Amino acid sequence: MKEPNTSTGQGRKLKLINAFAGSGSITDYELKPRFEVNGGGVYFIDIKHDADGQAQEKAPLWLCDKIELIGKGQDESGQQYRIMRYRNELTGQHETTVYPLAEVGTQAGIQRLRGMGLAVGQKRLQTDALAMYLQKDGSKEGWHISGKAGWHAGSYILPSGEVITATGHRQRVIYHGDKSQAAAYQPSGSLEAWQRDIAAHAAGNSRLCLALAAAFAAPLLELVKAESGGFHLYGDSSDGKTTAARVALSVWADPAQSLLTWQGTGLGFNNTATARNDGLLVLDEIGQAAPKVIGNTVYGIMNGINKVQGAKDGGNRHQSRWRVLVLSTGEKTPDSIMQGYAEWNAGQNTRLPSIPANAGQGMGIYDTLHGFDSGAALSEHLAEAAAHHHGHAGAAFIRLLDKDSPAHITERMAAFMQTLPEMHGQARRVAKRFALLAAAIELAAPVTGLAAGVGMAGIRQCFDAWLQRNGYGSYEDARIITQAVNFMQQHAYGERFTEWGSSLNGQADRTDRQHAGYRRRLDVIGHDEFWVIPAVFQAEICQSFDPAKAIAVLRGIQWLQEGDKGHSTRRRYAYGRFYVFAGAEPPETD
């Protein structure tokens, strides 16, 4: 191995005297222990004194392969690190990584270095000197260290660890997190080929526009402080849903390696969300997941924070936080899968609204085939193109963003919202996510090559398909009305309702457990009232909803009638009070 040149203390002092002789200055030099780094590695050079008290340098002590200490910093949890650069013997490439100061001088720390392929001395003198080198030597320049992907100090970190610096930012940022997906995020092919073979086919194809827009919108969540959310494409197995998912993933990564399924655990999904923070998460085939997993996953991923866990040394562990945009696919909708197992509530429906994958032209997800003979042929082309050309568009998009981008995104979202009908509550929250997608795909036009307005038109078509299925108002309101309609359709003219006036001496002639109430004919053309027992109203119409909420909704559409004077909700008949519905069907409303 190569050793540094050393000299006696007297010789070094003479060299310094000669060096300054021309200026008439003589500088005395005191030898001190030092580290020296060269091609042979890191060396420690200690000092000894001879019989005359003269200081001399000892022979260099080799510590390890070459490690350059180029800075230091701390992560979100407050843990401190040294930033080091070394040469990977296998690849021949120089790599930059972080080294926890908490591991300096420990066996775990030595093992970490050896795991990086570095040779390290085994003697106590060597390891002690190496510990001092890692703590005290090298540059102290500050770095930003992030344990999760996404935006950090003005730069965008891919799950591979690559740091993309957005326009106008020059911070030193390094990733210290899960790199298990690093290989998937290595670019392949070219941006030009991706534009020609993939993005160009989104023109006129609304579901492909949705897929691309979701990919570009993911890193915008942080910029406009939007909440996590997603979209679920559902339909037949051969209609191209997975192709749309692969198109979306091709913006950032190799679809074959980055496409995930719904099979997994809550902790696993949370870890994946952290690794893809401010990014796109694609979950294919929702039918593979158990109903309980679906509900927990939607809440877990989109709440954006992991559960509180205690630390072994007291207190709690640092909680990971994230934002992600999810694109899900499956043959069924989440609410249909969970029916009978668990409730798919308004919060979940708002976080993951369902859109039919079939664009309505008889070609699955496609509105137009761009010259291909069939939807299957176009899907095969897109899948093959995505396998060869991926990972360029996302990085190019990040480099387009600057300090003015949040304002531009907000303006485009507002413009899209102005084109929509008036909505409230959960419907408006979902509409704003569509607006973010519309803004993203228009902002990405220089990357996709799509003409202005083409992407936004595709997003509007997807929004209309969602609106047709869900309506303008609250998902909870719609569920309550649907439950009441279902109940009436099954029982309004069946045996569970007793005809009005059949009570004798103040007692009804039927009071068994199936008794739901009374049917009262108001006129000969079928204007009937249905007087429902409170217990049946709560158990079979309200179900899991608060009765007060159900009453407000059903009264708001003028189906549930006012109560008696002095009693706001119910009317009295025979020996009890009842909820009164005007007719077996709700009034005609929007």
Side-chain angles (χ1 to χ4, degrees), residues 397-475:
F397 181 63
I398 294 297
R399 294 187 180 100
L400 286 179
L401 303 176
D402 57 29
K403 61 181 179 62
D404 297 322
S405 294
H408 294 156
I409 296 165
T410 303
E411 290 172 2
R412 291 173 185 267
M413 290 177 64
F416 182 82
M417 291 295 291
Q418 289 177 358
T419 70
L420 306 183
E422 184 177 357
M423 285 168 290
H424 304 281
Q426 291 114 16
R428 183 171 177 81
R429 287 174 61 189
V430 174
K432 290 185 69 174
R433 195 173 309 126
F434 276 103
L436 178 63
L437 265 61
I441 198 167
E442 290 300 315
L443 196 63
V447 176
T448 63
L450 293 173
V454 168
M456 183 174 287
I459 301 304
R460 176 58 193 265
Q461 189 173 335
C462 292
F463 169 82
D464 289 342
W466 170 82
L467 187 64
Q468 183 177 4
R469 179 178 186 267
N470 290 270
Y472 295 86
S474 164
Y475 175 78

Side-chain angles (χ1 to χ4, degrees), residues 282-417:
V282 177
L283 300 177
D284 198 25
E285 297 299 341
I286 196 170
Q288 296 179 2
K292 180 179 179 180
V293 171
I294 295 171
N296 291 344
T297 298
V298 171
Y299 267 131
I301 290 178
M302 297 183 187
N303 280 346
I305 184 170
N306 64 1
K307 65 180 182 180
V308 177
Q309 292 179 304
K312 63 181 180 181
D313 55 351
N316 291 328
R317 296 182 184 179
H318 174 72
Q319 286 187 281
S320 297
R321 298 176 185 272
W322 60 81
R323 282 187 174 94
V324 290
L325 196 62
V326 176
L327 181 61
S328 167
T329 72
E331 295 183 24
K332 297 180 179 180
T333 61
D335 50 324
S336 66
I337 293 175
M338 294 178 67
Q339 190 172 12
Y341 295 92
E343 183 179 0
W344 180 254
N345 60 38
Q348 292 163 318
N349 189 67
T350 302
R351 287 169 169 83
L352 194 67
S354 295
I355 302 166
N358 194 314
Q361 305 301 320
M363 299 179 291
I365 65 170
Y366 304 113
D367 302 276
T368 179
L369 296 178
H370 288 279
F372 286 84
D373 294 334
S374 64
L378 179 52
S379 290
E380 289 173 4
H381 165 80
L382 291 172
E384 183 177 356
H388 290 90
H389 304 289
H390 52 256
H392 295 282
F397 181 63
I398 294 297
R399 294 187 180 100
L400 286 179
L401 303 176
D402 57 29
K403 61 181 179 62
D404 297 322
S405 294
H408 294 156
I409 296 165
T410 303
E411 290 172 2
R412 291 173 185 267
M413 290 177 64
F416 182 82
M417 291 295 291

Side-chain angles (χ1 to χ4, degrees), residues 164 185 275 308 432 485 488 566:
I164 304 171
Y185 284 80
V308 177
K432 290 185 69 174
V485 169
M488 287 297 186

Side-chain angles (χ1 to χ4, degrees), residues 439-519:
I441 198 167
E442 290 300 315
L443 196 63
V447 176
T448 63
L450 293 173
V454 168
M456 183 174 287
I459 301 304
R460 176 58 193 265
Q461 189 173 335
C462 292
F463 169 82
D464 289 342
W466 170 82
L467 187 64
Q468 183 177 4
R469 179 178 186 267
N470 290 270
Y472 295 86
S474 164
Y475 175 78
E476 292 176 332
D477 293 2
R479 280 279 305 278
I480 290 169
I481 295 170
T482 298
Q483 288 169 186
V485 169
N486 290 342
F487 175 81
M488 287 297 186
Q489 286 180 338
Q490 292 180 64
H491 306 299
Y493 291 99
E495 294 180 354
R496 293 191 64 186
F497 280 92
T498 302
E499 290 293 342
W500 186 267
S502 61
S503 61
L504 300 174
N505 299 320
Q507 295 185 357
D509 62 353
R510 176 173 180 170
T511 58
D512 60 40
R513 67 180 61 185
Q514 295 300 317
H515 184 51
Y518 295 92
R519 181 172 48 247

